[in-house]
Amino acid sequence: MALKNLGDLPVLPLPESFALTAAYNEDSFPNKVNLGQGVYRDNNCQPWVLPSVRKAEETLHNQQVNHEYLPIAGDSKFLTKARDLLFSPEIGSSENITSLQTIAGTGANHLAAIFCARNLHPKNVFISDPTWDNHHLIWEVAAPNVTRKLYPYYEPSTRGLNFEGMLAELENSAEENDVVILHACAHNPTGIDPTKEQWKKIAEVVGRKKLFVVFDCAYQGFASGDTDADAWAIRYFYSTLFAESSSLTPAGMFVCQSLSKNFGLYGERIGALHLVTPSSNSPEGAKAHLVQFVRAEISCPSLFGARIVQTVLDDAELRSKWQEDVRIMALRIKGVRTLLKLELEKLGTPGDWSHIEQQIGMFSFTGLSSAQVQELKEKHHIYMLSNGRMSLSGLNESNVAYVAQAIRDVL
């Protein structure tokens, strides 16, 4: 039914993470702590421009490059480097992989949802419970006729992975051509990833039931500090399910790759979408449809971030420096995990806090209730998502004892 008055439209709330950041910025309390926003911060809790990125910026400045339009599909040299980083140079050159540049990982997820809804017509899309909240909004907006179903992922009693529940849901409910969204590494929000043996079992179910996989790879390098290790699941799925000799071939696979986070290029919104088709299928027709979607939405992608990534990955010395930058970020996050766990234990905080150290990546699913999170904000000026997700980059040696004491106080 058409609206008679635009004023009748309800006011929608800001996404929680953005609303939290706005509230944090307005808070004048001197010891406030932002554990809500999923961005890396240095040991002073300040934005960090990666030294490798700064050097690439200087290189580009000295080259006096222009600012012309890119092709609709994006910069081909950037896409080659991004694809090789994700799949490896040996796999990346395969003819059944096609790539487009996107507006970060969000744009890649949105393109994937539109393509799947309009061309595959799946009955369901399976999304982990919990997940990055934007997965739900993207599919609600881009594919309203596809039913969103949750598969179990987090087990509160163990604060670990509910692997049996996850497999059982896919086995019992997923139908051929349905879509399943998987986090490649550093699961958001839980920080819990399947083991290699568990990934193998997931791949077997996906291939046997002929599902369509959408891998969301937002944190390559952030999980372990090793970009190759963090791409293991994607490479395993490719080599096992899409080899010519495979008897378990899924409907296809998208990989949504963000390069905003592991290069610290948040505002440049740089990413890529990679489509993998079974070896018997050419990806050219699918790529043409994806290009049409890009043309309708943004005409062509952004240039500067792509140039930075290409410049870094194309130069052996810069690439080595960038890999060290990524390790520095990952090691700092691991370090504050240990500090927080030790502080909580020193205070005699009720419960077992080993999960904080065992989880991986930017986030920890603390196990705190929404009421406890609200109390942390109101009484201690500590900001985190209501589901208990903590962004660990907001911690450092100066505030970790304060945060631990505040958690102890609300329990």
Side-chain angles (χ1 to χ4, degrees):
M1 182 181 296
L3 286 172
K4 294 182 179 180
N5 190 328
L6 288 178
D8 294 336
L9 282 170
V11 177
L12 300 177
L14 276 175
E16 186 182 8
S17 60
F18 286 84
L20 269 179
T21 299
Y24 170 84
N25 290 337
E26 292 174 1
D27 191 338
S28 61
F29 186 70
N31 296 323
K32 65 183 179 179
V33 183
N34 187 357
L35 304 178
Q37 194 172 20
V39 294
Y40 180 78
R41 292 292 182 256
D42 66 16
N43 199 45
N44 296 313
C45 292
Q46 296 299 311
W48 189 49
V49 179
L50 278 59
S52 55
V53 168
R54 185 67 82 199
K55 183 63 177 177
E57 290 174 337
E58 294 170 2
T59 299
L60 290 170
H61 176 74
N62 292 333
Q63 290 176 351
Q64 295 185 330
V65 294
N66 61 40
H67 300 280
E68 296 299 297
Y69 285 125
L70 283 175
I72 298 173
D75 185 291
S76 60
K77 293 180 180 179
F78 157 76
L79 287 169
T80 296
K81 295 298 179 183
R83 187 168 57 244
D84 289 351
L85 178 67
L86 193 62
F87 288 95
S88 81
E90 295 74 23
I91 297 175
S93 60
S94 302
E95 293 183 355
N96 65 329
I97 302 177
T98 190
S99 305
L100 289 88
Q101 188 178 330
T102 62
I103 305 299
T106 300
N109 274 276
H110 189 237
L111 271 180
I114 293 174
F115 180 90
C116 289
R118 296 193 181 186
N119 295 290
L120 299 177
H121 305 290
K123 182 178 179 181
N124 307 295
V125 54
F126 287 84
I127 303 173
S128 69
D129 181 19
T131 194
W132 175 48
D133 60 357
N134 214 16
H135 281 146
H136 289 285
L137 181 59
I138 286 169
W139 280 82
E140 177 186 336
V141 171
N145 294 327
V146 179
T147 300
R148 283 173 285 132
K149 287 190 173 181
L150 299 177
Y151 61 82
Y153 195 86
Y154 178 71
E155 176 49 57
S157 63
T158 63
R159 295 179 180 173
L161 177 65
N162 183 354
F163 181 65
E164 291 75 17
M166 174 185 183
L167 277 194
E169 178 64 20
L170 295 178
E171 283 279 15
N172 298 331
S173 301
E175 303 177 17
E176 184 173 338
N177 240 39
D178 276 354
V179 176
V180 56
I181 298 175
L182 301 171
H183 297 231
C185 64
H187 183 273
N188 181 4
T190 67
I192 302 165
D193 291 343
T195 65
K196 288 183 178 180
E197 290 306 310
Q198 288 171 335
W199 275 123
K200 290 176 182 179
K201 292 178 181 179
I202 296 168
E204 191 278 332
V205 172
V206 164
R208 174 166 45 79
K209 294 184 72 72
K210 297 189 180 302
L211 308 181
F212 195 101
V213 180
V214 176
F215 264 115
D216 192 349
C217 187
Y219 294 99
Q220 186 183 3
F222 256 106
S224 67
D226 183 332
T227 55
D228 289 328
D230 292 351
W232 188 89
I234 292 168
R235 296 176 187 181
Y236 178 81
F237 270 60
Y238 179 86
S239 60
T240 302
L241 300 179
F242 292 93
E244 290 188 15
S245 58
S246 176
S247 60
L248 298 172
T249 304
M253 182 168 80
F254 273 126
V255 183
C256 305
Q257 181 185 23
S258 172
L259 293 149
S260 300
K261 298 174 176 65
N262 51 12
F263 280 82
L265 295 170
Y266 300 102
E268 302 301 335
R269 314 306 297 136
I270 187 67
L273 178 65
H274 309 279
L275 171 63
V276 182
T277 56
S279 55
S280 59
N281 300 154
S282 168
E284 290 306 309
K287 183 176 182 178
H289 283 260
L290 289 167
V291 164
Q292 188 178 61
F293 297 151
V294 173
R295 172 61 173 160
E297 286 194 346
I298 61 170
S299 191
C300 63
S302 57
L303 177 59
F304 187 63
R307 277 181 171 157
I308 291 176
V309 172
Q310 180 197 329
T311 300
V312 170
L313 296 181
D314 203 30
D315 181 281
E317 184 178 344
L318 272 184
R319 185 186 183 109
S320 178
K321 179 57 185 168
W322 170 72
Q323 289 172 329
E324 178 60 24
D325 294 341
V326 171
R327 281 192 290 271
I328 287 171
M329 291 191 287
L331 287 174
R332 194 185 96 71
I333 296 298
K334 290 179 182 179
V336 295
R337 283 184 180 277
T338 300
L339 285 176
L340 179 59
K341 171 181 173 288
L342 291 175
E343 287 289 341
L344 289 166
E345 291 175 343
K346 185 169 70 174
L347 292 167
T349 311
D352 179 2
W353 296 93
S354 59
H355 63 283
I356 290 179
E357 199 170 29
Q358 293 165 357
Q359 293 165 359
I360 197 167
M362 180 83 76
F363 306 115
S364 173
F365 218 50
T366 59
L368 297 172
S369 69
S370 59
Q372 290 164 339
V373 169
Q374 184 68 18
E375 191 174 355
L376 282 175
K377 184 174 74 171
E378 293 177 353
K379 292 178 63 175
H380 301 281
H381 303 264
I382 295 172
Y383 294 77
M384 53 192 291
L385 295 190
S386 59
N387 62 8
R389 190 199 80 171
M390 175 187 293
S391 180
L392 290 147
S393 71
L395 291 177
N396 61 16
E397 290 93 339
S398 299
N399 65 20
V400 67
Y402 174 75
V403 171
Q405 183 63 62
I407 292 173
R408 176 69 181 85
D409 288 347
V410 303
L411 291 177

